[in-house]
Amino acid sequence: MDPFLVLLNSFSTSISSDELSALKFLCLSKIGKGKLQAVKKTTDLFTILLEQQDITLDNVDFLREMFKSLKREDLLTQLEHFEEAGEGDPAEQLEAKEKCKVERAFEVIRDSVGKNWKMLIRKLGISDAKIDRIVAAHPYDLEEQLMQSLLAWKKLKGKEAKADDLVKALRACRMNLVADKTEDALHQVI
């Protein structure tokens, strides 16, 4: 059974009829009025959005925006956990050596970068919205905020995540001491 469909089915069981009406309204720009009138259940709406590829396994942005509009933090959290668990896709895995290098770079960065960590994460291309979600999920743990942000970057880049890119970003942020420490640590990775 497709885990993404199971997730959508789970969402549909927890969405009330009033919330379904709100979702239908939010979809007016994506789905014709005639199709929307035929929607009686949340699964019907999800089916149309899947068919039109407005939501896919790889792109849940529209789904996320709908849940935000409903102010359903519980569904947003479920969706985020599903996305994080999806890291096991073999096509997105790094080569073993590069993976070790990236993980070693993460350790050095975690231990060496302080309060300016957001500047680094932005330089790596992670949005402020994603950073804010990570901070909200770990409000009193600076190291965990940084690690989760680095993992988000790794997931975003997939096979293209390289330790050298981390060093370049550190240097671009004028964190040269951390960049030097990271390079030294990377030379020790066999």
Short mmCIF file of all heavy atoms in Angstrom, two decimals, residues 114-170:
data_model
loop_
_atom_site.label_atom_id
_atom_site.label_comp_id
_atom_site.label_asym_id
_atom_site.label_seq_id
_atom_site.Cartn_x
_atom_site.Cartn_y
_atom_site.Cartn_z
N GLY A 114 27.74 29.20 16.53
CA GLY A 114 26.91 29.65 17.64
C GLY A 114 25.63 30.32 17.18
O GLY A 114 24.92 29.82 16.31
N LYS A 115 25.41 31.51 17.74
CA LYS A 115 24.14 32.19 17.53
C LYS A 115 23.90 32.66 16.09
O LYS A 115 22.78 32.99 15.74
CB LYS A 115 24.03 33.38 18.49
CG LYS A 115 25.10 34.43 18.27
CD LYS A 115 25.00 35.55 19.27
CE LYS A 115 26.14 36.53 19.00
NZ LYS A 115 26.10 37.66 19.89
N ASN A 116 24.92 32.68 15.26
CA ASN A 116 24.76 33.10 13.87
C ASN A 116 24.42 31.96 12.92
O ASN A 116 24.61 32.06 11.71
CB ASN A 116 26.03 33.81 13.39
CG ASN A 116 26.25 35.12 14.10
OD1 ASN A 116 25.30 35.80 14.48
ND2 ASN A 116 27.50 35.49 14.29
N TRP A 117 23.91 30.86 13.46
CA TRP A 117 23.65 29.68 12.64
C TRP A 117 22.61 29.95 11.54
O TRP A 117 22.69 29.38 10.47
CB TRP A 117 23.22 28.50 13.52
CG TRP A 117 21.88 28.66 14.18
CD1 TRP A 117 21.63 29.25 15.38
CD2 TRP A 117 20.62 28.23 13.68
NE1 TRP A 117 20.29 29.21 15.67
CE2 TRP A 117 19.64 28.59 14.64
CE3 TRP A 117 20.21 27.58 12.53
CZ2 TRP A 117 18.29 28.32 14.48
CZ3 TRP A 117 18.86 27.31 12.37
CH2 TRP A 117 17.92 27.67 13.33
N LYS A 118 21.65 30.84 11.78
CA LYS A 118 20.61 31.09 10.78
C LYS A 118 21.20 31.70 9.51
O LYS A 118 20.74 31.41 8.41
CB LYS A 118 19.53 32.01 11.35
CG LYS A 118 18.64 31.33 12.37
CD LYS A 118 17.55 32.27 12.85
CE LYS A 118 16.70 31.63 13.92
NZ LYS A 118 15.66 32.55 14.41
N MET A 119 22.22 32.53 9.66
CA MET A 119 22.87 33.13 8.50
C MET A 119 23.44 32.02 7.60
O MET A 119 23.29 32.05 6.37
CB MET A 119 23.98 34.09 8.96
CG MET A 119 24.74 34.73 7.82
SD MET A 119 25.93 36.00 8.32
CE MET A 119 26.86 35.21 9.61
N LEU A 120 24.08 31.04 8.22
CA LEU A 120 24.64 29.91 7.48
C LEU A 120 23.54 29.12 6.77
O LEU A 120 23.66 28.79 5.58
CB LEU A 120 25.44 29.00 8.42
CG LEU A 120 25.90 27.67 7.83
CD1 LEU A 120 26.91 27.90 6.72
CD2 LEU A 120 26.48 26.77 8.91
N ILE A 121 22.49 28.83 7.48
CA ILE A 121 21.41 28.01 6.92
C ILE A 121 20.73 28.75 5.76
O ILE A 121 20.41 28.15 4.73
CB ILE A 121 20.39 27.64 8.03
CG1 ILE A 121 21.08 26.79 9.12
CG2 ILE A 121 19.20 26.91 7.44
CD1 ILE A 121 21.79 25.53 8.60
N ARG A 122 20.57 30.05 5.89
CA ARG A 122 20.00 30.83 4.77
C ARG A 122 20.93 30.77 3.56
O ARG A 122 20.48 30.67 2.43
CB ARG A 122 19.78 32.28 5.19
CG ARG A 122 18.59 32.47 6.10
CD ARG A 122 18.32 33.95 6.38
NE ARG A 122 17.36 34.07 7.44
CZ ARG A 122 17.65 34.43 8.69
NH1 ARG A 122 18.89 34.73 9.03
NH2 ARG A 122 16.71 34.50 9.61
N LYS A 123 22.23 30.85 3.82
CA LYS A 123 23.22 30.79 2.73
C LYS A 123 23.13 29.45 2.01
O LYS A 123 23.39 29.36 0.81
CB LYS A 123 24.62 31.02 3.30
CG LYS A 123 25.71 31.17 2.29
CD LYS A 123 25.58 32.36 1.39
CE LYS A 123 25.91 33.65 2.09
NZ LYS A 123 25.86 34.80 1.18
N LEU A 124 22.74 28.41 2.74
CA LEU A 124 22.60 27.08 2.15
C LEU A 124 21.28 26.92 1.37
O LEU A 124 21.05 25.90 0.74
CB LEU A 124 22.70 26.00 3.24
CG LEU A 124 24.09 25.83 3.85
CD1 LEU A 124 24.02 24.93 5.07
CD2 LEU A 124 25.08 25.27 2.84
N GLY A 125 20.42 27.94 1.46
CA GLY A 125 19.20 27.92 0.66
C GLY A 125 17.95 27.45 1.37
O GLY A 125 16.93 27.19 0.73
N ILE A 126 17.99 27.35 2.68
CA ILE A 126 16.80 26.96 3.43
C ILE A 126 15.97 28.22 3.71
O ILE A 126 16.50 29.23 4.14
CB ILE A 126 17.18 26.25 4.76
CG1 ILE A 126 18.01 24.99 4.49
CG2 ILE A 126 15.94 25.91 5.58
CD1 ILE A 126 17.32 23.93 3.67
N SER A 127 14.68 28.13 3.47
CA SER A 127 13.80 29.29 3.61
C SER A 127 13.60 29.67 5.08
O SER A 127 13.73 28.84 5.98
CB SER A 127 12.44 28.99 2.98
OG SER A 127 11.75 28.03 3.75
N ASP A 128 13.25 30.93 5.28
CA ASP A 128 12.96 31.41 6.63
C ASP A 128 11.76 30.67 7.22
O ASP A 128 11.73 30.40 8.43
CB ASP A 128 12.68 32.91 6.63
CG ASP A 128 13.95 33.73 6.53
OD1 ASP A 128 15.03 33.23 6.90
OD2 ASP A 128 13.88 34.89 6.07
N ALA A 129 10.79 30.31 6.38
CA ALA A 129 9.62 29.58 6.87
C ALA A 129 10.03 28.23 7.44
O ALA A 129 9.57 27.82 8.52
CB ALA A 129 8.61 29.39 5.75
N LYS A 130 10.92 27.53 6.74
CA LYS A 130 11.40 26.23 7.22
C LYS A 130 12.20 26.41 8.50
O LYS A 130 12.06 25.63 9.46
CB LYS A 130 12.26 25.56 6.14
CG LYS A 130 12.79 24.20 6.52
CD LYS A 130 11.69 23.16 6.55
CE LYS A 130 12.27 21.79 6.81
NZ LYS A 130 11.23 20.81 7.10
N ILE A 131 13.04 27.44 8.55
CA ILE A 131 13.82 27.72 9.76
C ILE A 131 12.87 27.97 10.93
O ILE A 131 13.08 27.44 12.03
CB ILE A 131 14.78 28.91 9.53
CG1 ILE A 131 15.87 28.54 8.53
CG2 ILE A 131 15.40 29.36 10.85
CD1 ILE A 131 16.72 29.71 8.07
N ASP A 132 11.83 28.77 10.69
CA ASP A 132 10.87 29.08 11.76
C ASP A 132 10.18 27.83 12.28
O ASP A 132 9.96 27.68 13.48
CB ASP A 132 9.83 30.09 11.28
CG ASP A 132 10.43 31.48 11.06
OD1 ASP A 132 11.55 31.75 11.57
OD2 ASP A 132 9.78 32.29 10.37
N ARG A 133 9.83 26.90 11.36
CA ARG A 133 9.19 25.65 11.78
C ARG A 133 10.15 24.83 12.65
O ARG A 133 9.74 24.22 13.64
CB ARG A 133 8.74 24.83 10.57
CG ARG A 133 7.45 25.31 9.97
CD ARG A 133 6.82 24.28 9.04
NE ARG A 133 7.68 23.85 7.95
CZ ARG A 133 7.80 24.48 6.79
NH1 ARG A 133 7.13 25.58 6.55
NH2 ARG A 133 8.60 24.01 5.85
N ILE A 134 11.41 24.80 12.26
CA ILE A 134 12.40 24.04 13.03
C ILE A 134 12.59 24.67 14.41
O ILE A 134 12.63 23.96 15.42
CB ILE A 134 13.74 23.97 12.25
CG1 ILE A 134 13.57 23.07 11.02
CG2 ILE A 134 14.87 23.47 13.15
CD1 ILE A 134 14.71 23.13 10.03
N VAL A 135 12.68 25.99 14.48
CA VAL A 135 12.84 26.68 15.76
C VAL A 135 11.62 26.42 16.65
O VAL A 135 11.77 26.16 17.85
CB VAL A 135 13.06 28.20 15.55
CG1 VAL A 135 12.97 28.96 16.85
CG2 VAL A 135 14.42 28.43 14.89
N ALA A 136 10.43 26.45 16.06
CA ALA A 136 9.21 26.20 16.84
C ALA A 136 9.17 24.78 17.37
O ALA A 136 8.69 24.53 18.48
CB ALA A 136 7.98 26.48 15.99
N ALA A 137 9.70 23.83 16.60
CA ALA A 137 9.70 22.44 17.03
C ALA A 137 10.73 22.17 18.13
O ALA A 137 10.57 21.23 18.91
CB ALA A 137 9.97 21.53 15.84
N HIS A 138 11.78 22.97 18.20
CA HIS A 138 12.86 22.79 19.19
C HIS A 138 13.20 24.15 19.81
O HIS A 138 14.31 24.67 19.63
CB HIS A 138 14.10 22.19 18.53
CG HIS A 138 13.82 20.97 17.72
ND1 HIS A 138 13.66 19.74 18.29
CD2 HIS A 138 13.62 20.79 16.40
CE1 HIS A 138 13.39 18.84 17.35
NE2 HIS A 138 13.36 19.47 16.19
N PRO A 139 12.26 24.74 20.57
CA PRO A 139 12.42 26.14 20.99
C PRO A 139 13.60 26.44 21.91
O PRO A 139 14.11 27.55 21.89
CB PRO A 139 11.09 26.46 21.69
CG PRO A 139 10.51 25.15 22.05
CD PRO A 139 11.02 24.16 21.05
N TYR A 140 14.05 25.50 22.69
CA TYR A 140 15.11 25.79 23.66
C TYR A 140 16.39 25.01 23.41
O TYR A 140 17.20 24.88 24.30
CB TYR A 140 14.60 25.52 25.09
CG TYR A 140 13.35 26.31 25.40
CD1 TYR A 140 12.12 25.68 25.47
CD2 TYR A 140 13.40 27.68 25.58
CE1 TYR A 140 10.97 26.41 25.74
CE2 TYR A 140 12.26 28.42 25.84
CZ TYR A 140 11.05 27.77 25.93
OH TYR A 140 9.92 28.50 26.17
N ASP A 141 16.56 24.50 22.20
CA ASP A 141 17.71 23.66 21.92
C ASP A 141 18.41 24.15 20.65
O ASP A 141 18.10 23.71 19.54
CB ASP A 141 17.25 22.20 21.77
CG ASP A 141 18.40 21.22 21.77
OD1 ASP A 141 19.57 21.64 21.60
OD2 ASP A 141 18.14 20.02 21.92
N LEU A 142 19.36 25.05 20.83
CA LEU A 142 20.08 25.67 19.71
C LEU A 142 20.78 24.63 18.84
O LEU A 142 20.72 24.68 17.61
CB LEU A 142 21.08 26.70 20.24
CG LEU A 142 21.86 27.48 19.20
CD1 LEU A 142 20.94 28.42 18.46
CD2 LEU A 142 22.99 28.25 19.86
N GLU A 143 21.45 23.66 19.48
CA GLU A 143 22.16 22.63 18.71
C GLU A 143 21.20 21.83 17.85
O GLU A 143 21.50 21.51 16.70
CB GLU A 143 22.93 21.69 19.65
CG GLU A 143 24.24 22.23 20.12
CD GLU A 143 25.04 21.20 20.93
OE1 GLU A 143 24.67 20.01 20.95
OE2 GLU A 143 26.04 21.60 21.53
N GLU A 144 20.04 21.48 18.40
CA GLU A 144 19.07 20.68 17.65
C GLU A 144 18.48 21.50 16.50
O GLU A 144 18.24 20.98 15.42
CB GLU A 144 17.96 20.17 18.57
CG GLU A 144 17.04 19.16 17.91
CD GLU A 144 17.75 17.90 17.43
OE1 GLU A 144 18.82 17.53 17.96
OE2 GLU A 144 17.23 17.26 16.49
N GLN A 145 18.26 22.80 16.73
CA GLN A 145 17.77 23.66 15.67
C GLN A 145 18.76 23.66 14.51
O GLN A 145 18.37 23.53 13.34
CB GLN A 145 17.58 25.09 16.18
CG GLN A 145 16.46 25.25 17.18
CD GLN A 145 16.45 26.61 17.85
OE1 GLN A 145 17.25 27.49 17.53
NE2 GLN A 145 15.54 26.79 18.80
N LEU A 146 20.02 23.80 14.83
CA LEU A 146 21.06 23.81 13.80
C LEU A 146 21.12 22.47 13.08
O LEU A 146 21.16 22.41 11.85
CB LEU A 146 22.42 24.16 14.42
CG LEU A 146 23.63 24.13 13.48
CD1 LEU A 146 23.43 25.04 12.27
CD2 LEU A 146 24.88 24.52 14.24
N MET A 147 21.10 21.37 13.84
CA MET A 147 21.19 20.04 13.21
C MET A 147 19.99 19.76 12.31
O MET A 147 20.14 19.25 11.20
CB MET A 147 21.31 18.93 14.28
CG MET A 147 22.71 18.69 14.77
SD MET A 147 23.92 18.38 13.45
CE MET A 147 23.45 16.75 12.92
N GLN A 148 18.80 20.09 12.78
CA GLN A 148 17.61 19.86 11.96
C GLN A 148 17.64 20.71 10.69
O GLN A 148 17.20 20.28 9.63
CB GLN A 148 16.33 20.15 12.77
CG GLN A 148 16.05 19.14 13.86
CD GLN A 148 15.92 17.72 13.33
OE1 GLN A 148 15.27 17.47 12.31
NE2 GLN A 148 16.54 16.78 14.01
N SER A 149 18.20 21.91 10.79
CA SER A 149 18.34 22.77 9.62
C SER A 149 19.34 22.19 8.63
O SER A 149 19.11 22.21 7.41
CB SER A 149 18.78 24.18 10.04
OG SER A 149 17.81 24.77 10.86
N LEU A 150 20.44 21.66 9.14
CA LEU A 150 21.43 21.02 8.27
C LEU A 150 20.83 19.78 7.60
O LEU A 150 21.06 19.52 6.41
CB LEU A 150 22.69 20.65 9.07
CG LEU A 150 23.54 21.84 9.52
CD1 LEU A 150 24.60 21.37 10.51
CD2 LEU A 150 24.18 22.55 8.34
N LEU A 151 20.05 19.01 8.35
CA LEU A 151 19.39 17.84 7.77
C LEU A 151 18.38 18.25 6.69
O LEU A 151 18.24 17.57 5.68
CB LEU A 151 18.71 17.01 8.86
CG LEU A 151 19.66 16.28 9.81
CD1 LEU A 151 18.90 15.70 10.99
CD2 LEU A 151 20.44 15.19 9.09
N ALA A 152 17.70 19.37 6.91
CA ALA A 152 16.76 19.88 5.90
C ALA A 152 17.52 20.25 4.62
O ALA A 152 17.05 19.98 3.51
CB ALA A 152 16.01 21.09 6.45
N TRP A 153 18.71 20.84 4.78
CA TRP A 153 19.55 21.16 3.61
C TRP A 153 19.95 19.88 2.88
O TRP A 153 19.87 19.80 1.66
CB TRP A 153 20.79 21.94 4.06
CG TRP A 153 21.81 22.06 2.97
CD1 TRP A 153 21.80 22.93 1.93
CD2 TRP A 153 22.99 21.25 2.81
NE1 TRP A 153 22.90 22.71 1.12
CE2 TRP A 153 23.64 21.69 1.64
CE3 TRP A 153 23.55 20.20 3.53
CZ2 TRP A 153 24.82 21.11 1.19
CZ3 TRP A 153 24.72 19.63 3.08
CH2 TRP A 153 25.35 20.09 1.92
N LYS A 154 20.37 18.88 3.65
CA LYS A 154 20.80 17.61 3.06
C LYS A 154 19.64 16.97 2.29
O LYS A 154 19.82 16.47 1.18
CB LYS A 154 21.28 16.67 4.17
CG LYS A 154 21.73 15.32 3.70
CD LYS A 154 22.22 14.51 4.89
CE LYS A 154 22.32 13.05 4.59
NZ LYS A 154 22.62 12.26 5.78
N LYS A 155 18.46 17.03 2.86
CA LYS A 155 17.29 16.46 2.19
C LYS A 155 16.96 17.26 0.93
O LYS A 155 16.63 16.68 -0.11
CB LYS A 155 16.10 16.45 3.15
CG LYS A 155 14.87 15.80 2.58
CD LYS A 155 13.78 15.74 3.60
CE LYS A 155 12.55 15.05 3.02
NZ LYS A 155 11.44 15.05 3.93
N LEU A 156 17.05 18.57 1.02
CA LEU A 156 16.78 19.45 -0.12
C LEU A 156 17.73 19.16 -1.28
O LEU A 156 17.33 19.07 -2.44
CB LEU A 156 16.90 20.91 0.31
CG LEU A 156 16.77 21.96 -0.79
CD1 LEU A 156 15.31 22.07 -1.22
CD2 LEU A 156 17.26 23.31 -0.28
N LYS A 157 19.00 18.97 -0.98
CA LYS A 157 20.01 18.76 -2.01
C LYS A 157 20.05 17.33 -2.53
O LYS A 157 20.50 17.09 -3.65
CB LYS A 157 21.40 19.13 -1.47
CG LYS A 157 21.56 20.60 -1.17
CD LYS A 157 21.30 21.46 -2.37
CE LYS A 157 22.55 22.11 -2.85
NZ LYS A 157 22.34 22.91 -4.03
N GLY A 158 19.63 16.37 -1.71
CA GLY A 158 19.66 14.97 -2.13
C GLY A 158 21.08 14.52 -2.43
O GLY A 158 21.99 14.73 -1.64
N LYS A 159 21.28 13.93 -3.62
CA LYS A 159 22.60 13.41 -4.00
C LYS A 159 23.62 14.54 -4.20
O LYS A 159 24.81 14.29 -4.20
CB LYS A 159 22.51 12.62 -5.30
CG LYS A 159 21.78 11.31 -5.18
CD LYS A 159 21.94 10.47 -6.42
CE LYS A 159 21.11 11.00 -7.55
NZ LYS A 159 21.05 10.11 -8.71
N GLU A 160 23.12 15.74 -4.37
CA GLU A 160 24.01 16.88 -4.63
C GLU A 160 24.57 17.50 -3.35
O GLU A 160 25.33 18.47 -3.42
CB GLU A 160 23.26 17.95 -5.43
CG GLU A 160 22.71 17.44 -6.75
CD GLU A 160 23.78 16.90 -7.67
OE1 GLU A 160 24.83 17.54 -7.81
OE2 GLU A 160 23.57 15.81 -8.24
N ALA A 161 24.20 16.98 -2.19
CA ALA A 161 24.70 17.52 -0.92
C ALA A 161 26.17 17.14 -0.76
O ALA A 161 26.52 15.97 -0.69
CB ALA A 161 23.89 16.97 0.25
N LYS A 162 27.03 18.14 -0.76
CA LYS A 162 28.48 17.92 -0.67
C LYS A 162 29.04 18.69 0.52
O LYS A 162 28.64 19.83 0.78
CB LYS A 162 29.19 18.39 -1.94
CG LYS A 162 28.65 17.79 -3.22
CD LYS A 162 29.14 16.40 -3.43
CE LYS A 162 28.73 15.87 -4.79
NZ LYS A 162 28.01 14.65 -4.76
N ALA A 163 30.00 18.08 1.19
CA ALA A 163 30.65 18.73 2.33
C ALA A 163 31.36 20.01 1.89
O ALA A 163 31.38 20.99 2.64
CB ALA A 163 31.64 17.76 2.99
N ASP A 164 31.89 20.02 0.68
CA ASP A 164 32.56 21.22 0.17
C ASP A 164 31.61 22.42 0.09
O ASP A 164 32.01 23.56 0.30
CB ASP A 164 33.18 20.95 -1.21
CG ASP A 164 34.35 19.98 -1.14
OD1 ASP A 164 34.93 19.83 -0.05
OD2 ASP A 164 34.67 19.37 -2.18
N ASP A 165 30.33 22.15 -0.20
CA ASP A 165 29.34 23.23 -0.25
C ASP A 165 29.14 23.84 1.14
O ASP A 165 28.91 25.04 1.27
CB ASP A 165 28.00 22.72 -0.79
CG ASP A 165 28.09 22.30 -2.25
OD1 ASP A 165 29.02 22.77 -2.95
OD2 ASP A 165 27.25 21.48 -2.68
N LEU A 166 29.23 22.99 2.16
CA LEU A 166 29.12 23.49 3.53
C LEU A 166 30.29 24.42 3.85
O LEU A 166 30.11 25.48 4.44
CB LEU A 166 29.07 22.32 4.53
CG LEU A 166 27.82 21.45 4.46
CD1 LEU A 166 28.02 20.17 5.27
CD2 LEU A 166 26.60 22.21 4.97
N VAL A 167 31.49 24.01 3.44
CA VAL A 167 32.68 24.82 3.69
C VAL A 167 32.56 26.16 2.96
O VAL A 167 32.86 27.22 3.52
CB VAL A 167 33.97 24.06 3.28
CG1 VAL A 167 35.19 24.96 3.37
CG2 VAL A 167 34.15 22.82 4.14
N LYS A 168 32.11 26.12 1.70
CA LYS A 168 31.95 27.35 0.92
C LYS A 168 30.94 28.29 1.60
O LYS A 168 31.16 29.51 1.66
CB LYS A 168 31.48 27.04 -0.50
CG LYS A 168 32.56 26.43 -1.37
CD LYS A 168 32.00 26.06 -2.74
CE LYS A 168 33.01 25.25 -3.53
NZ LYS A 168 32.44 24.67 -4.74
N ALA A 169 29.85 27.72 2.09
CA ALA A 169 28.84 28.54 2.76
C ALA A 169 29.40 29.15 4.04
O ALA A 169 29.14 30.31 4.36
CB ALA A 169 27.60 27.71 3.07
N LEU A 170 30.19 28.36 4.78
CA LEU A 170 30.83 28.89 5.99
C LEU A 170 31.72 30.08 5.64
O LEU A 170 31.69 31.11 6.32
CB LEU A 170 31.64 27.79 6.69
CG LEU A 170 30.83 26.74 7.44
CD1 LEU A 170 31.70 25.52 7.73
CD2 LEU A 170 30.25 27.31 8.72
#
